[in-house]
Amino acid sequence: MERRATQRRRVLKGGSIEFDGRTVECVLRNISAMGAALQIDRRLCIPHEFKLNIPHGGIQQNCRVVWRKETLIGLAFEAAA
């Protein structure tokens, strides 16, 4: 059963997670107006909040993690202040 508030589109775009002056490469797997799912190469200590950059999608968004599963991270986009 789908629990998301908005439907996500499947995508496959490279990007990066930025936090504390560090950059971790990721792959954007799906996206909606409210959030996305990312895949990382291995289990890394990714903080609860970070900035997502997807250059080929024009995405630069502050995010918070809503779920984690091995190398997948589900996130919600933070509203702009």
Side-chain angles (χ1 to χ4, degrees):
M1 179 196 253
E2 182 63 47
R3 294 182 289 176
R4 296 180 186 116
T6 58
Q7 188 173 356
R8 292 191 178 183
R9 288 181 295 122
R10 288 185 182 185
V11 294
L12 188 61
K13 294 182 179 184
S16 61
I17 296 168
E18 295 181 7
F19 60 94
D20 297 333
R22 294 183 57 196
T23 301
V24 174
E25 298 300 312
C26 66
V27 175
L28 180 66
R29 300 302 305 254
N30 65 49
I31 189 168
S32 75
M34 298 178 70
L38 304 178
Q39 183 171 4
I40 55 176
D41 285 336
R42 57 194 180 281
R43 290 188 108 168
L44 297 172
C45 187
I46 303 296
H48 183 70
E49 296 180 345
F50 56 84
K51 180 181 269 184
L52 174 65
N53 289 303
I54 309 293
H56 296 291
I59 299 167
Q60 192 170 44
Q61 181 70 49
N62 291 326
C63 308
R64 66 178 167 78
V65 175
V66 293
W67 59 263
R68 298 172 192 256
K69 184 177 178 182
E70 296 186 24
T71 60
L72 294 174
I73 300 171
L75 55 93
F77 296 139
E78 294 292 317

